[in-house]
Every structure is written in structure tokens, then in C-alpha cells.
């Protein structure tokens, strides 16, 4: 069953958007991703306290210390790990910290080619705290890739998502 989520990409303010997010809770969103600027730890703390919808941190977690700070202030409900942002080792450390704090992990993407997508998929498979890796499809949008064959660059026929199937 599809789930809805909102990604603010740091473009929201607490005072203006908290009432909006509260109204949106009736739609049972999967999460609200990075709505506030990364530096607004207090704002995230308030969002986590006032909303039932999980707050997913993305741009706010580059290092294990970033996540430790968010956990300390109860300013995150989940973390979106992006291997191009954290590296494999950093991603593993972040996932371990999140797991120890009871926070679910999602695997995000940053428009990787097939090589980056392969690394992300292998990371997700080898990391038990990753609960969602729905963004690993960007090579399907490329006209060509450095990987020979189409294992990471051809979208399965069942995954149309309204995206064009013709790369030409």
C-alpha cells in the first residue's frame, strides 16, 4: 500500500508549518522529512514532541555526531542515510547509532549512477536497521551508465511510477 510523506527540504519554519503539519496528520503520513533548517534543533525537538507523524532527518545527518546531537535533544524520529553523503563506513556507524536509539533508518539517494546504486543496495541489504530503500532507482532515469548491461539501469516493467520508460 502506498504511503504519503512530505519533504520540506529545510524550507519550512516551525511557527508557520507546525499547524499545517498538525492538520496533515489526519492523512496518516509515513513521515515528514527535513522540514526545518538543519541548525534548528529546538524546532525539531518541538516537532517531535507535538506530532505523531515521525520526523525523518536527512540533510541534518552527515556524521555520527550529527545524529548523536539529534538523539540527545530528542529531535529526530528516523534518519535517512545517503551513502554519497556519509560514505559506507559513516553510514554503518550512523545506522548502528540509530538502531541503538530505536530510530528506524531509511536509505536515500542522491542521483547515483549504477555504481552508487549498487553500493547503496548492498549497504541496505547488509544493514539490518534499514527499513526502507525506495529511492534506489535513479539509474533508470539515465540515458546511459558506466555499468555494462542493465541490472541497475533498467526499471522493472511493474515500476512505472508515471516515469517515462523510454530513455531515448
Amino acid at each position: 500500500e502506498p504511503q504519503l510523506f512530505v519533504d520540506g527540504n529545510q524550507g519550512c519554519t516551525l511557527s508557520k508549518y507546525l499547524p499545517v503539519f498538525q492538520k496533515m496528520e489526519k492523512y496518516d503520513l509515513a513521515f515528514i522529512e527535513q522540514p526545518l533548517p538543519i541548525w534548528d534543533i529546538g524546532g525539531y525537538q518541538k516537532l517531535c514532541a507535538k506530532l505523531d507523524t515521525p520526523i525523518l532527518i536527512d540533510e541534518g545527518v552527515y556524521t555520527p555526531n550529527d545524529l548523536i546531537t539529534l538523539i540527545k535533544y530528542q529531535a529526530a524520529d528516523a534518519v535517512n542515510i545517503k551513502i554519497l553523503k556519509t560514505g559506507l563506513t559513516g553510514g554503518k556507524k550512523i545506522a548502528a547509532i540509530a538502531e541503538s536509539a530505536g530510530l528506524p533508518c531509511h536509505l536515500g539517494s542522491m542521483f547515483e549512477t549504477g555504481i552508487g546504486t549498487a553500493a547503496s543496495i548492498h549497504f541496505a541489504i547488509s544493514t539490518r536497521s534499514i527499513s526502507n530503500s525506495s529511492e534506489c532507482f535513479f539509474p533508470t532515469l539515465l540515458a546511459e551508465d558506466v555499468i555494462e548491461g542493465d541490472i541497475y539501469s533498467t526499471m522493472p516493467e511493474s515500476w512505472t511510477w508515471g516515469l517515462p520508460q523510454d530513455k531515448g
Side-chain angles (χ1 to χ4, degrees):
E1 178 177 313
Q3 288 190 298
L4 298 174
F5 69 91
V6 175
D7 187 350
N9 284 315
Q10 303 182 68
C12 304
T13 60
L14 181 67
S15 61
K16 184 174 181 179
Y17 282 89
L18 176 58
V20 174
F21 294 146
Q22 287 171 323
K23 289 177 185 174
M24 293 175 80
E25 288 203 296
K26 69 182 176 184
Y27 299 106
D28 194 29
L29 299 175
F31 54 82
I32 300 170
E33 182 176 344
Q34 200 74 52
L36 307 176
I38 60 174
W39 49 262
D40 192 359
I41 305 296
Y44 282 105
Q45 188 179 39
K46 289 176 185 166
L47 284 177
C48 290
K50 294 183 180 283
L51 296 174
D52 291 328
T53 303
I55 302 300
L56 177 71
I57 302 297
D58 179 353
E59 296 94 346
V61 177
Y62 281 81
T63 69
N65 286 336
D66 294 336
L67 183 56
I68 289 169
T69 299
L70 291 165
I71 292 168
K72 177 181 175 182
Y73 290 101
Q74 298 178 345
D77 295 313
V79 61
N80 193 12
I81 299 173
K82 294 181 176 175
I83 297 308
L84 288 182
K85 181 175 67 172
T86 65
L88 291 168
T89 303
K92 284 290 191 180
K93 289 177 182 177
I94 289 167
I97 292 165
E99 183 176 14
S100 70
L103 300 181
C105 296
H106 295 260
L107 182 70
S109 181
M110 296 175 71
F111 304 98
E112 294 91 347
T113 63
I115 293 170
T117 298
S120 293
I121 291 169
H122 287 275
F123 174 84
I125 291 168
S126 68
T127 308
R128 68 177 173 211
S129 60
I130 299 291
S131 62
N132 183 322
S133 58
S134 63
E135 292 184 11
C136 293
F137 66 88
F138 284 107
T140 65
L141 305 176
L142 301 174
E144 58 184 313
D145 196 359
V146 297
I147 293 180
E148 290 187 26
D150 60 4
I151 188 165
Y152 297 113
S153 61
T154 301
M155 184 180 294
E157 289 180 26
S158 63
W159 291 9
T160 60
W161 298 357
L163 299 171
Q165 295 295 307
D166 180 16
K167 296 182 188 179

